[in-house]
Amino acid sequence: MNLLELNNVSHVYGDIVKSKGLDNLSLTTQKGEFVAIMGPSGSGKSTLLNIISGILPATSGSVIVAGRNIANLNDEEAALFRRNTLGFVFQDFNLVETLTVRENIMLPLMFKNEGIKSMKEKSEKVAKSLGILHILNKRTQEISGGQAQRTAIARAIVHQPELLLADEPTGNLDSANSEEVMKIFENLNRNYGMSTFLVTHDVETATYSQRVIFIKDGKIYNEIRKGNNLIEYRENILNVLSVIRGV
Ligand SMILES: Nc1ncnc2c1ncn2[C@@H]1O[C@H](COP(=O)(O)OP(=O)(O)OP(=O)(O)O)[C@@H](O)[C@H]1O
Ligand SMILES: [Mg+2]
């Protein structure tokens, strides 16, 4: 079953000075797929994520997510759809500083009016799996970058979204922490079938995916699927990147 269907999607920023964020882009992904998006700075990767989540409207073309045409949702339906179906992880974590780690993780459940007991159980379960059970009562200023990113991931997955959207989730982490975060994503994808759509500049991060879609100037430039050989996958990704960058 298709999870995402983008048909000839364009997004134009600005009224007077126009700039093309996406240019007639089409792609489909399967339910349960782990897709990485790569491409030069300004190529449209974040725009693509924002179009999929319905934060940005497509200027033309259609966007179907989990069977729903998101242009047809009203504001309330769109908000509900985002809260129930999607999880987000951002490069800069986006944690709420006035809240504790636990409260941050509970946020998506609060929006769903879950009971406090259920919220507590779910947040502890996910915190345990991410190794942050011991910091649940800390404020976000008191935790490390790696812990903050794990908290952001816990918040993104606590409501078991169908689709996880991650924009440079390892961009602020050192290589050891990046590897751990990617293993968590890999696990979620393998064991819970969570579809994942991840933007990254980093080749090592991209190798955790099953398919890399390369974007340039708002268009699909190329795509590579993982075969049985991880080393070959990595080499192929590096080759496309070097051509895309023209070096
Ligand atoms: N709010 C905005 N207003 C006008 N133009 C924008 C806006 N956001 C992005 N753009 C333009 O749209 C294009 C795509 O931007 P986008 O942020 O999607 O790129 P990106 O691939 O995520 O880049 P990066 O790797 O640097 O994060 C760029 O040319 C950018 O200048
Ligand atoms: Mg971006």
Side-chain angles (χ1 to χ4, degrees):
M1 193 190 133
N2 284 343
L3 180 75
L4 290 177
E5 288 178 40
L6 274 67
N7 298 305
N8 302 313
V9 173
S10 294
H11 182 81
V12 180
Y13 287 105
D15 296 327
I16 299 160
V17 180
K18 294 188 190 301
S19 122
K20 268 204 169 161
L22 288 183
D23 187 5
N24 230 16
L25 182 143
S26 299
L27 65 83
T28 52
T29 70
Q30 301 286 302
K31 206 169 159 45
E33 227 189 322
F34 190 147
V35 177
I37 304 293
M38 301 189 90
S41 183
S43 56
K45 304 180 297 293
S46 297
T47 305
L48 176 61
L49 287 195
N50 290 332
I51 292 268
I52 291 169
S53 65
I55 291 168
L56 279 180
T59 311
S60 60
S62 65
V63 182
I64 318 276
V65 186
R68 273 150 294 190
N69 184 330
I70 52 176
N72 295 341
L73 305 178
N74 64 32
D75 287 353
E76 198 180 330
E77 287 166 342
L80 269 176
F81 159 76
R82 274 198 285 277
R83 278 177 211 155
N84 292 332
T85 314
L86 305 180
F88 295 94
V89 186
F90 303 92
Q91 181 175 359
D92 55 2
F93 314 144
N94 262 341
L95 297 175
V96 182
E97 283 181 12
T98 49
L99 300 181
T100 62
V101 167
R102 181 196 297 278
E103 288 161 346
N104 267 283
I105 297 173
M106 281 181 178
L107 270 179
L109 303 174
M110 287 178 188
F111 286 127
K112 290 174 94 174
N113 287 325
E114 284 218 19
I116 184 78
K117 186 158 174 278
S118 160
M119 288 203 293
K120 219 172 156 245
E121 280 169 8
K122 284 187 181 170
S123 56
E124 281 172 11
K125 186 166 174 240
V126 71
K128 192 169 173 216
S129 74
L130 290 162
I132 50 171
L133 203 51
H134 60 296
I135 58 160
L136 279 179
N137 294 324
K138 290 201 174 189
R139 305 245 160 223
T140 59
Q141 300 97 316
E142 302 163 351
I143 62 178
S144 72
Q147 289 170 333
Q149 190 59 308
R150 281 186 180 75
T151 304
I153 293 168
R155 185 183 58 183
I157 62 175
V158 70
H159 57 305
Q160 297 182 307
E162 270 181 73
L163 173 62
L164 182 71
L165 297 171
D167 201 346
E168 295 278 2
T170 58
N172 277 321
L173 301 178
D174 60 29
S175 59
N177 268 307
S178 294
E179 203 179 316
E180 281 196 35
V181 162
M182 290 317 298
K183 289 205 167 122
I184 292 163
F185 285 153
E186 191 176 46
N187 241 329
L188 287 165
N189 176 257
R190 277 194 190 153
N191 300 336
Y192 299 95
M194 186 155 70
S195 308
T196 306
F197 211 78
L198 174 144
V199 168
T200 184
H201 281 110
D202 180 54
V203 178
E204 306 310 328
T205 300
T207 55
Y208 285 85
S209 68
Q210 292 151 359
R211 171 158 66 125
V212 183
I213 299 176
F214 298 87
I215 298 188
K216 189 180 185 184
D217 300 329
K219 302 184 185 74
I220 306 260
Y221 178 81
N222 202 339
E223 73 167 37
I224 300 179
R225 286 176 192 269
K226 193 191 242 168
N228 298 323
N229 189 334
L230 190 63
I231 295 170
E232 205 175 284
Y233 192 42
R234 189 175 176 281
E235 283 298 311
N236 289 340
I237 296 169
L238 278 170
N239 285 341
V240 176
L241 284 179
S242 68
V243 177
I244 245 186
R245 290 180 186 139
V247 291

